[in-house]
Amino acid sequence: MNSARSDPPPDAAEGHDDRADGPRVALKILVAGGFGVGKTTMVGAVSEIRPLRTEEALTDASIGVDDLDGLGSKTTTTVAMDFGRITLRDGVAIYLFGTPGQERFWFMWNELSRGALGAVVLADTRRLMASFASIDYFEQKGTPFVVAVNCFDDADRYDPPEIRMALDIDPHVPVLLCDARQTVSAKQVLVALVEHALRLASGPSSPSPRAWRTPAPTRDG
């Protein structure tokens, strides 16, 4: 696993790593999206520590409950969360929390989203409808988010404007193409989210979500 750590600043005391004292600034980012879009993969691709995963094997009990359409090779599922960390220069740490994708675990989203700087909504062009719940959720909470299309090898390719139109995403929300398996690609998505969140924090409030879209299910547990 490639480390996301950067070299210590030149003026750091010899033999002393400021990061050993813990991060001075901690940012929380969620990685959300539908079932099987690559959330666990993205967290693992960028985390400098061995990621915490709460995966369980899919069993016959999930038949008729979890939508496996287009996911024939999927054998495990996240039942709580994924967790990873990236330490940056100047004592800034990003903590990544991957949310569970199945509807039966949505009650956990409110707890996971507390204090988050923003969210990455991963999308799969083979199952775009699975992205609506995450988009609605973050729009309604006013949480900054970007949409990152995970380009699976067997999926059709579409340009960001086409994705934006299909998902009816507001113009101010960044839409990116990525490969969740690749560290550099996943980092670029996180950088885009942080920059987007900073722009929103320094400018006018983001537009309200469209009234026509079906509201996201209540996730209060």
Side-chain angles (χ1 to χ4, degrees), residues 62-85:
S62 67
I63 297 177
V65 178
D66 295 328
D67 181 11
L68 298 179
D69 184 33
L71 298 171
S73 61
K74 181 76 171 170
T75 59
T76 61
T77 180
T78 299
V79 297
M81 67 175 184
D82 300 308
F83 174 77
R85 185 190 71 204

Side-chain angles (χ1 to χ4, degrees), residues 43-212:
V43 172
V46 297
S47 180
E48 69 190 15
I49 62 173
R50 182 177 181 179
L52 168 66
R53 293 171 175 166
T54 57
E55 290 194 310
E56 295 292 341
L58 290 169
T59 66
D60 291 343
S62 67
I63 297 177
V65 178
D66 295 328
D67 181 11
L68 298 179
D69 184 33
L71 298 171
S73 61
K74 181 76 171 170
T75 59
T76 61
T77 180
T78 299
V79 297
M81 67 175 184
D82 300 308
F83 174 77
R85 185 190 71 204
I86 308 172
T87 302
L88 305 178
R89 187 184 297 273
D90 298 328
V92 177
I94 294 178
Y95 295 99
L96 300 173
F97 290 80
T99 66
Q102 305 94 307
E103 183 175 352
R104 56 195 168 112
F105 297 125
W106 282 354
F107 68 91
M108 300 183 61
W109 286 24
N110 282 336
E111 207 56 46
L112 289 175
S113 65
R114 292 182 189 277
L117 171 74
V120 173
V121 175
L122 273 181
D124 179 355
T125 58
R126 301 169 301 179
R127 309 168 83 238
L128 270 184
M129 290 295 292
S131 305
F132 278 113
S134 299
I135 292 171
D136 286 336
Y137 181 80
F138 294 119
E139 281 185 339
Q140 292 174 17
K141 289 186 70 69
T143 301
F145 69 94
V146 300
V147 173
V149 178
N150 192 9
C151 297
F152 288 89
D153 294 335
D154 59 344
D156 292 332
R157 297 292 194 269
Y158 298 94
D159 293 330
E162 296 176 288
I163 300 296
R164 183 184 304 280
M165 181 177 296
L167 294 176
D168 191 49
I169 301 170
D170 285 318
H172 77 284
V173 177
V175 178
L176 309 94
L177 304 180
C178 75
D179 185 339
R181 301 168 298 182
Q182 301 297 323
T183 301
V184 172
S185 182
K187 284 182 180 178
Q188 289 173 342
V189 172
L190 298 179
V191 169
L193 171 61
V194 172
E195 291 176 344
H196 176 55
L198 291 176
R199 283 195 300 269
L200 291 181
S202 60
S205 300
S206 60
S208 59
R210 291 168 173 77
W212 65 265

